[in-house]
Every structure is written in C-alpha cells, then in structure tokens.
Amino acid sequence: MKDLIAEQATVLRYLKDHEGMVEDYERDLIQQYVKSVRNHGKFVPDLVREIYDELGLLSEDQDIYSGFMDLLTSEFDVREKKIVEVGGGVIPRLGKRISSIQTGAGKITVYDPRISKYEKDTERMKLVRQPFTLRTPMKDTNFMLAFMPCEAAETFINAATSNNIDFMIALCEGGPHGEEFDYFESDEEWLDSMVYTAKREVRDHGMGTLGIQYLKKYENPYPIIYNHR
C-alpha cells in the first residue's frame, strides 16, 4: 500500500508540474485511474501509459513499448534510419526510446499536434506539432512508424507505400466507424479494411509482403503490420 501511495503522489505531482499538458477531462480520467486500486490489467490507457513510462512506473507486463521495440528491431535495423513517426502522443515515449538507440545519421521526426509544450527537440529527435498529411515532405525519410495513431492509420499507410518507404504500424480500435461521413460500422470492419489496404498497397508498390503480428501478452488484441521485403 505504501508503494501505491508513493506512486499516486508521483503521478499527481507530475500533472501539477505540467499544467495544461492535457485537457481537463483527460486530467480527471488520469487522476481517477491513478487514485483507484491498481488492478487494471496489462493494457494501460494511452495517456496514462505515456506518463507512467516517462516516470518509470510501468510494470514489465504493462510495458507494451518494450514489446513493440523488440518486434521493431527484430524486423528492421532502425539505428541509422531517418524515421518519421506519425501520432507520437502528448509525451513521445516511443520516439524517445528509438532516438536513444540511434547512431550515425539516425534521427526521428515525430508528428503530433498534441505534443506537450514541455517536450523539447534533441539531437536525435525533432518534434513537429502538426498533423501528418499526404502533403508532408518525405525527403530523405527511409522508415516510417506509428504506434496506435487511430484515424491517421490510413494516411500513414498511403504515405509509406506511395513513397516506397519501409514501415511498421500498430493499429488500434480508434479508427473512424459509425459516423455519418464514413461507412465503417465496427472496429473489426475498420481494422480489416486497414490490413487489406496495406496488403494491396505493399504488393502493388513492390514492397514485398505484409507481415502481421500481435502483442497479446500485453492484453492488446490489435494487429501490428509492416512490410517485409
């Protein structure tokens, strides 16, 4: 119980020290999560996960970032790649992890309009507080990645394949469905569409085959897809 109280105090102090980092309703949700008995399972909500990882509080069985990094580095050598990350989050935790292993010409540029004002560029990591679009310049980029970018997934896939850039993206439930302006009626339908689109585009652009893997040990049921040349 003492450890839990200390953990709660650490997170609440972080929120206080980073005023304006998240919306008020998000702050309330984070505080509710933190103040409850920590028995939430392995899958942690995205903003909570970012904060806990920033503070070194993620338990091993909740640390899906490490699982994703293990998968990424087993399929691609990203150490000297010039990477674009789409939807890096309020706290770009994946970008920070990748930049920490890069060498030589390696650098990562993270796109997300919600990147916290408290986050700063580093020698290896450039932060762009803008949405990623199909008009975003891709000169010199030789790898793309995204970790649960929600509705940006389709734009990501189209940008990577049309520019013939190797990629890996972790999908999630957050795509457009059930809205008046789209035709998806469920998470599953949207996910199937993203996988089908990626498979077709990888084939049509001569980028090899589409790899599909999962990180279910972290209670994450959503596919991670990438091209395999």
Side-chain angles (χ1 to χ4, degrees), residues 29-60:
L29 290 173
I30 294 167
Q31 289 176 337
Q32 290 174 19
Y33 180 96
V34 172
K35 290 179 179 178
S36 64
V37 175
R38 188 138 184 233
N39 186 26
H40 305 283
K42 298 176 183 178
F43 193 78
V44 183
D46 54 358
L47 273 172
V48 178
R49 181 177 60 241
E50 291 171 17
I51 292 172
Y52 272 65
D53 192 49
E54 181 77 1
L55 298 173
L57 296 175
L58 278 183
S59 62
E60 184 176 346

Side-chain angles (χ1 to χ4, degrees), residues 176-179 182-190:
H177 53 76
E179 304 291 345
D182 71 59
Y183 52 86
F184 297 109
E185 297 182 354
S186 68
D187 296 335
E188 291 76 15
E189 188 177 348
W190 179 78

Side-chain angles (χ1 to χ4, degrees), residues 57-100:
L57 296 175
L58 278 183
S59 62
E60 184 176 346
D61 62 357
Q62 292 176 324
D63 187 7
I64 194 172
Y65 292 123
S66 287
F68 184 84
M69 286 288 291
D70 289 344
L71 177 57
L72 173 66
T73 55
S74 71
E75 295 291 337
F76 300 97
D77 185 353
V78 297
R79 289 173 296 180
E80 296 193 16
K81 297 288 188 183
K82 293 182 178 177
I83 301 171
V84 162
E85 180 186 3
V86 176
V90 175
I91 306 174
R93 286 303 311 160
L94 186 61
K96 290 183 180 184
R97 290 196 182 207
I98 290 172
S99 66
S100 71

Side-chain angles (χ1 to χ4, degrees), residues 158-206:
N158 289 336
T161 54
S162 63
N163 288 284
N164 208 274
I165 297 172
D166 290 338
F167 69 89
M168 179 175 283
I169 175 173
L171 298 173
C172 63
E173 83 290 355
H177 53 76
E179 304 291 345
E180 294 180 359
F181 54 82
D182 71 59
Y183 52 86
F184 297 109
E185 297 182 354
S186 68
D187 296 335
E188 291 76 15
E189 188 177 348
W190 179 78
L191 287 165
D192 288 345
S193 175
M194 292 302 99
V195 172
Y196 173 81
T197 297
K199 187 176 295 185
R200 182 192 65 213
E201 295 299 314
V202 164
R203 179 198 65 208
D204 291 351
H205 287 88

